[in-house]
Amino acid sequence: MEIIVLLLFSLFVYAATSKLMDYKVFLVQMNDQPFDDKFSILLVWGLPALQYLIAGLLIFRRTLLAGLYGSLALMLIFTVYITLIKLNFFNHIPCSCGGVIKQFTWTEHLYFNLFFIIISLAGIVFHKWLRRNVKPTFEKIQLS
């Protein structure tokens, strides 16, 4: 479970940080997306904030399941978007990714996202299994 959480946490912190480090480029890329430009500023700040929020949820035991579901939802949204790109639904789409990920082809990006969808699902299933099958490591103290 720790490996799943570490991979997801690293992905979201890396993605959010790389977007904010190259804010001007990210804003230009968002303005070049196939939706109204009035949403660009919201997405430029909102997307990294959401990625940091999901990473933060993954840190704590109480919020881990919410973080896993958030990760799954965000990766599904990105994957649907990439699938529409691959199906030529849009004319031209620049990658608004940062760092190493921006070097991916759309097919590589699709496989990358599918990998993170699978590990998000695995994390959810494993988390639920652990909650059902693993007893707490401490015993209740009975007062007589």
Side-chain angles (χ1 to χ4, degrees), residues 95 97-105 108:
C95 185
C97 306
V100 178
I101 298 169
K102 70 181 172 188
Q103 304 300 321
F104 287 0
T105 66
E108 291 168 336

Side-chain angles (χ1 to χ4, degrees), residues 1-7 126:
M1 182 62 129
E2 289 83 8
I3 292 173
I4 290 171
V5 171
L6 180 63
L7 286 171
F126 191 55

Side-chain angles (χ1 to χ4, degrees), residues 4 72 111-124:
I4 290 171
L72 176 62
Y111 289 134
F112 180 83
N113 284 19
L114 290 173
F115 170 77
F116 281 98
I117 286 172
I118 290 167
I119 67 167
S120 294
L121 283 169
I124 291 167

Side-chain angles (χ1 to χ4, degrees), residues 6-70:
L6 180 63
L7 286 171
L8 291 170
F9 177 84
S10 299
L11 170 69
F12 289 116
V13 169
Y14 174 77
T17 302
S18 65
K19 286 175 177 69
L20 293 177
M21 286 180 63
D22 213 352
Y23 166 78
K24 289 181 181 180
V25 171
F26 184 47
L27 179 60
V28 168
Q29 290 171 337
M30 293 311 291
N31 283 330
D32 203 21
Q33 298 296 320
F35 42 79
D36 196 321
D37 287 353
K38 66 183 174 188
F39 296 113
S40 295
I41 197 70
L42 175 68
L43 289 171
V44 165
W45 291 108
L47 188 55
L50 181 59
Q51 291 171 322
Y52 282 133
L53 174 65
I54 291 171
L57 291 171
L58 292 168
I59 294 173
F60 302 102
R61 184 175 290 148
R62 289 189 114 160
T63 59
L64 176 58
L65 189 58
L68 290 168
Y69 275 115

Side-chain angles (χ1 to χ4, degrees), residues 60-112:
F60 302 102
R61 184 175 290 148
R62 289 189 114 160
T63 59
L64 176 58
L65 189 58
L68 290 168
Y69 275 115
S71 170
L72 176 62
L74 196 55
M75 294 310 296
L76 283 170
I77 291 167
F78 289 156
T79 302
V80 167
Y81 187 62
I82 291 170
T83 301
L84 291 173
I85 292 167
K86 294 276 299 159
L87 294 172
N88 295 315
F89 189 79
F90 308 111
N91 292 335
H92 163 72
I93 306 297
C95 185
S96 56
C97 306
V100 178
I101 298 169
K102 70 181 172 188
Q103 304 300 321
F104 287 0
T105 66
W106 286 116
T107 301
E108 291 168 336
H109 209 128
L110 183 62
Y111 289 134
F112 180 83

